[in-house]
Amino acid sequence: MTILDLGVPTVPGTSDTTGTTTPADRPDDARLTDRYGRVATDLRVSLTDRCNLRCTYCMPAEGLDWMPTEEALTDDEVVRLVRVAVEHLGVQEIRFTGGEPLLRRGLEDIVAATAALDPRPDTSVTTNGLGLTKRAGRLAAAGLDRVNVSLDTLRPERFAEITRRDRLGDVLDGLAAARDAGLGPIKINTVLMPGLNDDEAPDLLGWALAEGYELRIIEQMPLDAGHSWQRDRMITAEQILDSLRTRFSLRPDPAERGGAPAERFLVDGWERPGGGPARVGVIASVTRPFCGTCDRTRLTADGQVRTCLFARSENDLRSLLRGGGTDDEIATAWRVAMWGKKPGHGIDDPGFLQPDRPMSAIGG
Ligand code: SAM
Ligand code: SF4
């Protein structure tokens, strides 16, 4: 069955029972389309705004004002919204994130319910890796397909400086556990910062290639809670590639990029564990934005739809859900939200303002 079989008709220009008005210019399409021809098929679900690390580019040392428990969606509510996304809206990929999604006790149950949906979505988690030693096997058994693990350095003292916690060994053990549990291909997400770890890109790539992980280096974005990001203080994709090329020979990956945020390169002389050329990715959200092919929709831990990491408004699905809204009404509200997605993130616009929520509360 396809979503078009299930398609919920939207009637242009009329109000539904929730008071959500379908804009007159929106075509009758069951999917999460927007005005610029994009279709969101990849859903990022934040499961919590809390974290057990305090990465300097993400959270202040003292943490943040955490979301009150009653505002966060319950496991059942998360699963219901994920089901609506998959069954009514054509979403094909679900990535759980946060905050730190492994802090969510019900993660295995949420993953199991997600993997049981029809059609089965590709299901993954972005994590700092702490706790994977204990849970990787259970998550794989629940139906998790893959993990992305964030790691910015291989040096213990730098790890402690960047994350404000001395836990590098636990992350490396967690990664090995994920690999043993078959949660691959494992991607490593790295943010480089000047004077902190910007000299470490070739070491990180050498290590990732030897371990069979795929390294992806992400440009730092203006999403820190302290609003301290400065354009002229970030390491650009060009600098990242120059640094990698001091030790490796890279060629653009000829494979279709589609909506993938990472620009991928093949690393000459290296093979992936399962065969085929090894790759490295650069996510140049700031200097080479990929908004034109974005296929994302986002759900915060308190049930708000965000059309973009940088959106300055949200659409409230939690009130609809808790107010007795039907699946069809929730699907309609989600479609209307995505129809309003902006063409780009606008970081370079003179009037750019950081969103009120920091990355950890949006779901990175
Ligand atoms: N706690 C999990 C983790 O660290 O993987 C999931 C949430 S974290 C917000 C998701 C990703 O966002 C991480 O890879 C992290 O490095 C990245 N991130 C956080 N703040 C960022 C920023 N200001 N710019 C770029 N990436 C950022
Ligand atoms: Fe936590 Fe991830 Fe933010 Fe680091 S990047 S503080 S691990 S949410």
Side-chain angles (χ1 to χ4, degrees), residues 291-321:
C291 304
T293 56
C294 180
D295 60 1
R296 302 269 163 89
T297 181
R298 296 176 178 273
L299 192 60
T300 62
D302 53 352
Q304 311 297 305
V305 170
R306 294 183 64 89
T307 58
C308 172
L309 273 176
F310 296 95
R312 294 198 45 83
S313 63
E314 300 177 340
N315 291 61
D316 182 11
L317 293 189
R318 186 190 60 196
S319 298
L320 192 52
L321 185 88

Side-chain angles (χ1 to χ4, degrees), residues 159-310:
F159 185 94
E161 191 182 352
I162 293 170
T163 69
R164 303 190 179 97
R165 302 286 187 272
D166 188 9
R167 308 279 311 263
L168 175 62
D170 296 327
V171 175
L172 297 177
D173 291 348
L175 268 164
R179 186 176 49 197
D180 293 347
L183 292 173
I186 294 176
K187 291 182 182 145
I188 306 290
N189 287 351
T190 298
V191 179
L192 294 181
M193 288 146 293
L196 267 177
N197 63 343
D198 56 333
D199 57 351
E200 228 182 303
D203 285 354
L204 280 157
L205 180 54
W207 164 81
L209 292 168
E211 296 288 334
Y213 307 139
E214 183 174 319
L215 180 70
R216 301 167 357 139
I217 305 184
I218 309 171
E219 284 182 344
Q220 190 180 351
M221 293 179 275
L223 288 169
D224 57 309
H227 291 220
S228 62
W229 179 89
Q230 289 173 289
R231 174 80 190 235
D232 56 1
R233 291 275 305 152
M234 55 160 280
I235 306 294
T236 63
E238 202 178 331
Q239 291 170 305
I240 294 166
L241 289 166
D242 285 349
S243 171
L244 293 174
R245 285 186 163 125
T246 59
R247 208 181 299 166
F248 297 93
S249 165
L250 308 180
R251 286 176 287 136
D253 183 352
E256 179 84 27
R257 181 170 169 189
E263 213 176 312
R264 299 210 295 184
F265 297 84
L266 305 182
V267 189
D268 283 337
W270 286 88
E271 291 240 325
R272 276 183 293 165
R279 294 186 174 86
V280 60
V282 177
I283 303 185
S285 320
V286 180
T287 63
R288 303 177 189 176
F290 36 85
C291 304
T293 56
C294 180
D295 60 1
R296 302 269 163 89
T297 181
R298 296 176 178 273
L299 192 60
T300 62
D302 53 352
Q304 311 297 305
V305 170
R306 294 183 64 89
T307 58
C308 172
L309 273 176
F310 296 95

